[in-house]
Each structure stands twice: as C-alpha cells, then as structure tokens.
Amino acid sequence: MRDDRGQVAGALSKKNYGCFDPFLAECYTVREGLQFILAHNFDNLDVESDSLNAISAIKHLEEFSIVFSLIIDILKLSASLGIVSFSHILHQGNAIARNLAILAFCSICSSC
C-alpha cells in the first residue's frame, strides 16, 4: 500500500494453502488488501492491479463469474471505505507488489 506521494504506507503477506489460478488469486488479493486497509482506517484510495481480468470483473460485475462472491465482498468493502477507484496498470508498474509476492513465496518454498 502506498500513500498519495507514492511512499509505502503498509504491506500485507498472508500464507494461503492450495493452488489458485492467477485470476482467482488476484481477486482474493484485492479483497484481502481492502480488509487490511479497512482495519487500518485508510480511505479514499486507488486499487491498482496488473490483472486486467480482475479489474474488469470488479468494474463490470458478472453474476455467473467464478469469483462472483469475491467481487461482491470487494464491492461491499470498497463502499465502506469512501472513495475507491480500481485501475489496471502494466506489469512493470506493479514491481513493488510483485517483489513482495516473490519474497512471500520464497519464505515458504525452498526452491527459490
């Protein structure tokens, strides 16, 4: 999480068991991030993801989507946070989040 000046204001890493496809994992991550933000009393934020599918699913709720219940959770959480926008960014623009994910993965996997 970064503040309005781009400085890191918080980070979250969680151990989850099982295998998830990237789309489901990204939607789950957005929901977990919003819960983290709500618990730390932040508001008025921009949610950025390099998953175009996840951002599209959030912006254009599809009732029969495999992640429908996650999207409903995301929308309810974002409604309680004030002004929230969801944006797709290029993979290169998400380097901090990618590096955090690699670090978290390597902390549970001996093959890194």
Side-chain angles (χ1 to χ4, degrees), residues 2-33:
R2 290 178 277 168
D3 64 16
D4 58 349
R5 297 173 312 227
Q7 301 297 311
V8 175
L12 172 69
S13 176
K14 252 182 136 168
K15 183 185 283 190
N16 294 303
Y17 297 96
C19 296
F20 302 99
D21 73 2
F23 173 60
L24 179 60
E26 191 70 26
C27 291
Y28 179 80
T29 300
V30 169
R31 184 186 69 183
E32 293 297 308

Side-chain angles (χ1 to χ4, degrees), residues 49-60:
S49 172
D50 59 6
S51 171
L52 182 57
N53 289 337
I55 295 299
S56 293
I58 293 166
K59 287 183 168 183
H60 311 286

Side-chain angles (χ1 to χ4, degrees), residues 46-110:
D46 298 316
V47 175
E48 298 176 336
S49 172
D50 59 6
S51 171
L52 182 57
N53 289 337
I55 295 299
S56 293
I58 293 166
K59 287 183 168 183
H60 311 286
L61 181 63
E62 297 175 17
E63 189 172 341
F64 300 106
S65 171
I66 192 169
V67 294
F68 181 73
S69 62
L70 276 173
I71 301 302
I72 293 297
D73 287 349
I74 289 168
L75 295 174
K76 286 179 181 177
L77 285 165
S78 64
S80 65
L81 288 167
I83 300 170
V84 179
S85 68
F86 296 93
S87 304
H88 174 253
I89 60 170
L90 296 177
H91 184 72
Q92 298 86 343
N94 210 9
I96 292 173
R98 182 179 181 280
N99 290 338
L100 179 62
I102 290 169
L103 179 65
F105 179 76
C106 290
S107 72
I108 61 168
C109 178
S110 61

